[in-house]
Amino acid sequence: MTGSTTPRADRVSYVSANEVAERAGVSRSAVSRTFSGAGSVAPATRRKVLKAAEELGYHANLLARGLVGEPSRIVCLIAADVGQPYHSAMIDKVTRQLQLHGKVAMMINTAGDDDSVSQALRQSLHFRAEASVVLSGSPPAKLVQSCLSNGQRVVLVNRDDDAEGAERIRIDNATACREALALLRRAGCKRLACVSSQARTSSMTTRESAFAAAAAEIGVEIDVVRVGPTSYDTGQEAARVLLGRSNPPDGVFCVTDLLAFGFIDAARTIFGVEIPRDLCVIGFDDVPQARWSGYELTTFRQPMDEMVARIAEILTSDTSGSDSAFEALPVWRKTVRMG
Amino acid sequence: MTGSTTPRADRVSYVSANEVAERAGVSRSAVSRTFSGAGSVAPATRRKVLKAAEELGYHANLLARGLVGEPSRIVCLIAADVGQPYHSAMIDKVTRQLQLHGKVAMMINTAGDDDSVSQALRQSLHFRAEASVVLSGSPPAKLVQSCLSNGQRVVLVNRDDDAEGAERIRIDNATACREALALLRRAGCKRLACVSSQARTSSMTTRESAFAAAAAEIGVEIDVVRVGPTSYDTGQEAARVLLGRSNPPDGVFCVTDLLAFGFIDAARTIFGVEIPRDLCVIGFDDVPQARWSGYELTTFRQPMDEMVARIAEILTSDTSGSDSAFEALPVWRKTVRMG
DNA sequence: TTGTAAGCGTTATCAA
DNA sequence: TTGATAACGCTTACAA
């Protein structure tokens, strides 16, 4: 790295409504009224105020506005693994949707463990956020209560929590996973396996157990491998483990697209298997890469737009303890033979 | 979607330092001192305050604190295309780094056009952010001035701007792109092309022109194709155009990894070319997918950790108009033949 | 339609 | 070490 700097100009403080008022020759309240939209103000005064504000470079202080009791317009977004496709897609949509509703996202990047989620929720409280949207980790019920009792909205996305009074948004993993099994069976797969993650989030565990349960019902036994976190590398490692066996599976359900990509790549590169001829693979989430022609992954699509729309709805409505479930729909691409 | 809700409990307002003081039997100032860390407070008082705060569920109001002149701890992050690998990786690192320094990111998702960047910067002003970090779009110099003159830091990441007084972080695209050309030549490529994007951001244009200039210097002519935005699909379309010609290129520089992925997939799927035997491809950014074994893309790595560290340094230092350039280093993988 | 004045939850200053 | 008191920038009765 190369660089250059020059000494910094002195910090100047923001211009206040008072100064604008003075310059415009009106009262502070007139300024307030022009910018907040409440109350009435004569067109002439309004013009004077606007002119003065422009000249002075005035920007209303939302912090102060929030202090008086107005909603802060801040919504806290609590997420981990922001770099991963699923999370970043979600964040993209949520932030946009919030802005559409005149709110702004305060993003807190947690490590995913419950302690940092607690910290995040505390930040949310400190900044008097109107709401907290939890995309990762599972916050302690007590802290959620604290947010709730302070008038915050708390939206839990795909988390399994006992937090009373929080709003829940989740996709119906169980149904989708049963369907995954059916898809593989219909494709004629005999030896089934499930590639999961060591991360014990509710999505991971319910997907894996629903798949296993569905298999048990029809009397077939499946392997479940968990060799690392929810990542591409873990998918690869799982392929090494499963396909290295004397009796490798011919149908694999990966609880996440990312795992599936790793699995597919290792299967092709290391074991030379052809997909879907020798091996069928199903993923989950339908991240953008799933449609790349290097994969064309058959997977399940989370109706993200609808979920995000529902979040916005919750934030602007007046209910509590709502519970919305969304269906994940299969996206047929090319990693499973047609039945 | 299915759902259920119950009517919502009444909004209760936050507990204030006053209430804590009352319950603890001390003054408001004692409470302030306990939580702000400034001034001295007797251990016994401190205990009483902490106890009362705990019982009441007190959370210091950072909005009010910011009002008195304390830094707001808010840093505005202005980005577009948050779902794309490069951007999300950056956001992941920046948010984490900010939190390490006790700050919090307010994320503004812009459409990338200058008007929404202006809006974003205005938000930043409204919330009295300590700084704005611009990852997308190019803000009007005048607005940057406004931020600056209000005591904000403005950090421009990989943007080409005339904004006086802002801090600049950029990678040296030109050098890397000359090297990309050298790599392809050394691999024996004769017919060279550059796949770029219709997005005219400074990164896109300088990468493309530096590559072209380097080629011109040694007297070789190159094709430049721009058939869409910076996306996977555009990469595919570029492959259709370039490889469909009677005299297709055998060495291609894609100004972005995402373009390269699309290009590679289309080259393999549609034209059946083998990489790197028939065709060498180079990308730029080294996003996580570049190391996936389906691609193993030779590309240039932006030293993101160092760039982000530099951002943090800027936010906590006291200079203005600094300009830091970082080198992008080649990452040899398998889409270019060894020379 | 306008201005005056009170109040929001902090921190900083100053006396005690 | 403590507690009053005065800001900070805004909104909102209430009065003019």
Side-chain angles (χ1 to χ4, degrees), chain B residues 27-29 33 40-42 45 67-68:
Chain B
S27 75
R28 177 166 70 257
S29 335
R33 279 190 285 260
S40 54
V41 39
T45 339
L67 192 56
V68 200

Side-chain angles (χ1 to χ4, degrees), chain B residues 113-190:
Chain B
D113 63 293
D114 295 353
D115 188 56
S116 45
V117 175
S118 295
Q119 290 297 338
L121 235 31
R122 234 165 260 136
Q123 281 282 25
S124 174
L125 250 12
H126 284 315
F127 280 102
R128 298 303 188 252
E130 294 180 27
S132 298
V133 177
V134 183
L135 299 172
S136 301
S138 41
K142 196 188 149 208
L143 205 46
V144 171
Q145 277 315 317
S146 190
C147 289
L148 255 20
S149 71
N150 281 314
Q152 272 200 10
R153 270 10 253 277
V154 179
V155 183
L156 269 21
V157 181
N158 280 335
R159 354 255 73 245
D160 238 21
D161 267 272
D162 51 352
E164 193 70 39
E167 327 292 314
R168 268 159 249 273
I169 301 243
R170 56 197 173 75
I171 61 154
D172 180 0
N173 286 304
T175 306
C177 293
R178 306 185 90 73
E179 194 163 349
L181 181 86
L183 258 43
L184 290 176
R185 294 288 292 174
R186 213 177 308 152
C189 300
K190 301 293 180 220

Side-chain angles (χ1 to χ4, degrees), chain A residues 26-27 29 33 40-42 45 67-68:
Chain A
V26 298
S27 75
S29 0
R33 280 191 282 260
S40 54
V41 39
T45 339
L67 193 56
V68 200

Side-chain angles (χ1 to χ4, degrees), chain B residues 44-84:
Chain B
T45 339
R46 186 186 185 76
R47 260 196 310 279
K48 278 192 292 185
V49 169
L50 256 24
K51 182 162 171 287
E54 172 66 29
E55 289 166 356
L56 258 32
Y58 169 72
H59 294 268
N61 187 336
L62 257 43
L63 265 40
R65 191 178 280 179
L67 192 56
V68 200
E70 297 278 288
S72 66
R73 299 195 199 177
I74 296 173
V75 172
C76 213
L77 220 62
I78 300 172
D81 290 327
V82 173
Q84 285 199 7

